[in-house]
């Protein structure tokens, strides 16, 4: 049988040579295809954000073909019977038509909305991974700044898209956004008139949000993602410490075929999960909220999860007003300004300045390509846990009316519980995280000194019961192997116990013990007797 020649044909070679002579892409393609990426599940969080953005672009293009970005009011005569004869905007009418008349429209709408939530969630979790592992350190401070900017762009992009249907829930969100703009001293009134084209709700906000949501912000996000990926390639990917891994190499899989194949599989998984959620889990049923009316605001009017912390900060802020008189004119700084403008601004500035502050505190000017385990830097880990606790408390404040209603609790009591929680819970989380990191460090040192617990209990001739420990290191040279890396905790981590046969969900039988472990168990009684005699 004739074996086919794996080499490209003469025509293909000539075409590739012709293109390379004019573009000079062979060297670049070779370096990109040979790029090595480390293998760890935590590095997939950024890819989930990227693939969610791809799904957003695809579904958003479909939705843009049927959506009408107009605040012009008409009488609805569509397929949804309960709203027939009601005056609605053309934006709301086109959203209803997308949901009930366009084939697959509701599925794509919900896919788009779920992808937006996953996009922001993946960015947040990815940034937390970057923070807790110290991946923002030199020379990657620029990527940290880009990540923070991407979060706020995704925040604004999500809010703009959430506001486009002009339903009762999104209109309430726009009213709150208008109050935030109005709270800015000196320029608030002018900024609100310029944004809405007059007094709220104006007649231009839907059209302007559509332009920002479809063209401006996605273009900026795409450019920043491209810049982020270029920096990842140029600066090399970070990796976890381990055998053979240094600050000057990367241990993993090449772009082609290993990483590309896995990455493609991850994209298909992300798309499949989002499609499943879009088909089975309802989100933002605008036909239930009805068209927006400035006089109609209901309870439980919560935005998407990533806006909830801003809602919670405004609810927790006391009604403190500052009145200032300048040149005979009186100005009022309302509490909304401190909760919705100053607080997010201060938190963003602190987050952006943290890499520079940490470098200055530790006088660290070295290049860092190896990550740190969270336990190895207790101060940073405790600070991050405190920030997460602060965010969670604010988010719960954003739904305090729902909690009060469902659990029959006084809303006033919920407001005060949120205020007290903001002062008590974050410091408590800092202290707990700090102590847990120190405890984990102590456990690692104890494991390196005593060895790994094997689960074998032996009895000495004197009757004393003791557990057999398998040594982890044989000297200082072996200790360097685990410096900054994961310390083994089971015999299987040391490779002295065979892997258990796997079932569909769990192992079908216990792992067999090896001869080396049996010899250790047999030698333990004599060692224990000698230790007792000493």
């Amino acid at each position: 049988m004739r074996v086919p020649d794996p080499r490209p044909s003469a025509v293909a070679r000539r075409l590739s040579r012709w293109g390379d002579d004019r573009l000079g892409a062979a060297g670049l393609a070779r370096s990109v295809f040979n790029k090595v990426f480390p293998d760890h599940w935590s590095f997939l969080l950024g890819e989930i954000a990227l693939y969610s953005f791809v799904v957003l672009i695809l579904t958003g293009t479909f939705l843009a073909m049927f959506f009408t970005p107009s605040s012009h009011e008409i009488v609805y005569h569509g397929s949804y019977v309960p709203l027939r004869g009601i005056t609605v905007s053309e934006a709301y009418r086109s959203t209803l038509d997308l949901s009930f008349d366009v084939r697959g429209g509701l599925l794509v709408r919900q896919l788009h909305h779920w992808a937006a939530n996953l996009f922001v969630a993946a960015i947040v979790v990815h940034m937390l991974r970057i923070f807790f592992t110290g991946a923002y350190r030199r020379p990657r401070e620029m990527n940290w700044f880009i990540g923070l900017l991407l979060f706020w762009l995704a925040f604004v992009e999500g809010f703009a898209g959430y506001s486009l249907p002009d339903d009762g829930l999104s209109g309430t969100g726009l009213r709150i956004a208008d109050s935030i703009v109005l709270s800015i001293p000196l320029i608030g009134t002018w900024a609100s008139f310029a944004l809405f084209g007059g007094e709220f709700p104006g007649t231009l906000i839907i059209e302007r949000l559509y332009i920002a949501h479809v063209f401006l912000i996605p273009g900026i996000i795409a450019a920043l993602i491209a810049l982020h990926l270029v920096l990842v390639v140029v600066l090399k990917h970070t990796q976890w410490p381990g055998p053979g891994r240094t600050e000057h190499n990367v241990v993993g899989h090449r772009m082609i075929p290993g990483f590309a194949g896995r990455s493609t599989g991850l994209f298909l998984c992300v798309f499949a999960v989002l499609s499943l959620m879009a088909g089975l889990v309802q989100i933002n049923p605008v036909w239930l909220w009805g068209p927006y009316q400035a006089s109609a605001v209901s309870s439980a009017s919560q935005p998407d999860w990533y806006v909830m912390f801003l809602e919670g900060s405004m609810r927790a802020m006391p009604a403190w007003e500052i009145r200032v008189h300048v040149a005979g004119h009186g100005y009022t700084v309302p509490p909304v300004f401190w909760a919705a403008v100053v607080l997010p601004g201060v938190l963003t500035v602190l987050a952006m300045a943290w890499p520079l502050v940490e470098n200055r505190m530790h006088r660290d000017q070295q290049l860092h390509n190896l990550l740190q385990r969270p336990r190895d830097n207790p101060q940073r880990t405790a600070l991050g846990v405190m920030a997460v606790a602060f965010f969670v408390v604010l988010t719960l404040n954003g739904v305090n009316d729902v909690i009060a209603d469902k659990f029959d609790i006084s809303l006033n009591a919920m407001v005060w519980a949120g205020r007290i929680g903001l002062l008590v819970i974050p410091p408590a989380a800092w202290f707990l995280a700090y102590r847990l990191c120190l405890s984990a460090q102590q456990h690692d040192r104890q494991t390196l000194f005593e060895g790994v617990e094997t689960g074998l209990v032996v009895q000495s001739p004197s009757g004393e019961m003791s557990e057999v420990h398998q040594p982890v290191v044989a000297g200082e040279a072996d200790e360097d192997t685990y410096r900054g890396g994961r310390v083994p905790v089971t015999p299987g981590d040391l490779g002295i116990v065979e892997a258990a046969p796997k079932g569909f969900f769990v192992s079908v039988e216990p792992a067999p013990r090896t001869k080396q472990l049996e010899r250790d168990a047999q030698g333990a009684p004599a060692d224990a007797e000698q230790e007792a005699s000493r």
Side-chain angles (χ1 to χ4, degrees):
M1 183 177 65
R2 182 180 178 183
V3 179
D5 188 359
R7 296 176 299 177
S9 63
V11 176
R13 290 197 298 270
R14 285 196 296 268
L15 286 176
S16 62
R17 189 179 300 113
W18 181 88
D20 185 54
D21 291 341
R22 287 153 180 80
L23 300 176
L28 177 62
R30 186 180 298 110
S31 62
V32 171
F33 291 163
N34 289 330
K35 181 70 177 178
V36 176
F37 290 88
D39 186 14
H40 194 270
W41 65 266
S42 63
F43 300 144
L44 302 178
L45 298 171
E47 294 185 47
I48 293 176
L50 173 63
Y51 298 145
S52 301
F53 182 70
V54 173
V55 174
L56 284 171
I57 295 298
L58 296 176
T59 55
T61 302
F62 176 87
L63 295 176
M65 298 178 183
F66 302 97
F67 181 73
T68 303
S70 174
S71 303
H72 178 68
E73 293 185 342
I74 59 172
V75 178
Y76 179 71
H77 297 288
S79 301
Y80 190 63
V81 177
L83 289 179
R84 286 181 180 175
I86 302 297
T87 300
V88 301
S89 66
E90 291 193 20
Y92 186 70
R93 189 266 309 163
S94 64
T95 304
L96 293 178
D97 292 343
L98 254 171
S99 302
F100 297 111
D101 299 328
V102 177
R103 187 179 299 274
L106 181 59
L107 176 68
V108 177
R109 265 196 65 234
Q110 298 200 146
L111 178 60
H112 189 76
H113 205 134
W114 280 120
N117 281 278
L118 180 61
F119 178 56
V120 182
I123 290 177
V124 171
V125 179
H126 180 59
M127 293 293 290
L128 289 176
R129 198 275 297 177
I130 295 294
F131 180 83
F132 284 117
T133 61
Y136 57 82
R137 295 174 297 170
R138 188 179 182 186
R140 295 176 179 83
E141 298 95 337
M142 187 62 68
N143 258 347
W144 175 256
F145 302 150
I146 292 174
L148 290 172
L149 185 56
L150 279 173
F151 167 76
W152 282 112
L153 285 172
F155 180 97
V156 176
E157 172 76 349
F159 179 78
Y162 166 85
S163 304
L164 286 178
D166 198 27
D167 59 285
L169 190 59
S170 65
T172 301
L174 278 177
R175 165 63 83 179
I176 296 174
D178 178 56
S179 67
I180 294 174
V181 175
L182 287 172
S183 70
I184 302 176
L186 301 179
I187 64 171
T189 303
W190 300 97
S192 175
F193 268 66
L195 180 63
F196 290 91
E199 189 176 358
F200 180 86
T203 57
L204 300 175
I205 187 62
I206 299 297
E207 292 84 343
R208 291 176 175 177
L209 286 176
Y210 181 78
I211 295 297
H213 181 73
V214 175
F215 296 104
L216 298 181
I217 302 179
I220 299 174
I221 291 177
L224 289 176
I225 290 177
L227 178 59
H228 173 75
L229 296 177
V230 169
L231 290 177
V232 169
V233 173
V234 172
L235 299 176
K236 294 192 304 186
H237 204 295
T238 55
Q239 60 182 345
W240 291 99
R245 299 172 182 176
T246 68
E247 298 281 3
H248 308 289
N249 70 347
V250 178
V251 178
H253 300 277
R254 295 184 185 274
M255 168 72 79
I256 303 293
F259 178 78
R262 297 185 180 191
S263 187
T264 303
L266 178 62
F267 169 72
L268 296 177
C269 290
V270 170
F271 187 81
V273 171
L274 288 174
S275 299
L276 191 65
M277 295 177 65
L280 300 179
V281 184
Q282 179 177 269
I283 187 171
N284 197 24
V286 295
W287 54 89
L288 298 181
W289 318 139
Y292 174 66
Q293 298 177 2
S295 59
V297 179
S298 66
S299 62
S301 296
Q302 269 72 32
D304 285 334
W305 70 270
Y306 50 87
V307 189
M308 211 86 76
F309 81 97
L310 204 60
E311 176 88 5
S313 66
M314 290 185 288
R315 296 188 182 195
M317 183 67 190
W320 295 340
E321 292 184 350
I322 299 178
R323 302 182 184 275
V324 181
H325 294 273
V326 179
H329 298 279
Y331 296 94
T332 301
V333 182
V336 174
F337 173 73
W338 305 106
V341 179
V342 174
L343 178 63
V346 170
L347 294 178
T348 303
V349 171
L350 291 177
M352 295 188 71
W354 173 252
L356 307 178
V357 172
E358 188 181 52
N359 288 345
R360 186 67 179 269
M361 289 171 53
H362 299 287
R363 302 183 183 276
D364 183 10
Q365 300 299 326
Q366 301 296 321
L367 299 181
H368 297 280
N369 295 318
L370 291 178
L371 301 174
Q372 287 182 310
R373 296 183 305 168
R375 68 182 64 183
D376 293 332
N377 196 317
Q379 295 85 357
R380 180 204 299 146
T381 301
L383 181 64
V385 171
M386 183 176 69
V388 172
F390 187 76
F391 178 85
V392 170
V393 174
L394 286 180
T395 301
L396 292 177
N397 279 344
V399 293
N400 57 8
D401 58 332
V402 178
I403 297 175
D405 177 63
K406 297 301 180 182
F407 293 95
D408 195 21
I409 304 174
S410 168
L411 180 58
N412 186 61
M414 286 299 305
V415 171
W416 275 103
R419 292 171 178 172
I420 297 173
L422 285 174
L423 299 177
V424 174
I425 295 179
W430 184 95
F431 178 79
L432 180 63
Y434 186 81
R435 299 305 305 177
L436 286 176
C437 287
L438 295 182
S439 177
Q441 289 183 9
Q442 177 63 28
H443 180 269
D444 287 347
R445 289 191 292 267
Q446 182 178 356
T447 301
L448 291 175
F449 178 75
E450 297 181 355
V452 173
E453 297 179 356
T454 62
L456 296 178
V457 179
V458 296
Q459 184 177 16
S460 68
S462 61
E464 181 183 3
M465 307 295 290
S466 61
E467 184 181 11
V468 177
H469 286 73
Q470 177 65 30
V472 176
V473 296
E476 295 183 359
D478 289 341
E479 289 184 4
D480 293 336
T481 303
Y482 300 105
R483 195 177 303 277
R486 180 177 179 271
V487 175
V489 294
T490 65
D493 295 336
L494 294 173
I496 62 174
V497 173
E498 300 175 13
K502 296 296 183 181
F504 190 77
F505 290 110
V506 296
S507 302
V508 296
E509 62 183 50
R513 302 194 179 278
T514 62
K515 294 182 179 180
Q516 180 182 351
L517 194 58
E518 293 175 357
R519 288 196 300 267
D520 293 339
Q522 294 172 0
D527 296 340
E529 185 177 5
Q530 294 175 5
E531 181 67 24
S533 64
R534 286 198 296 267

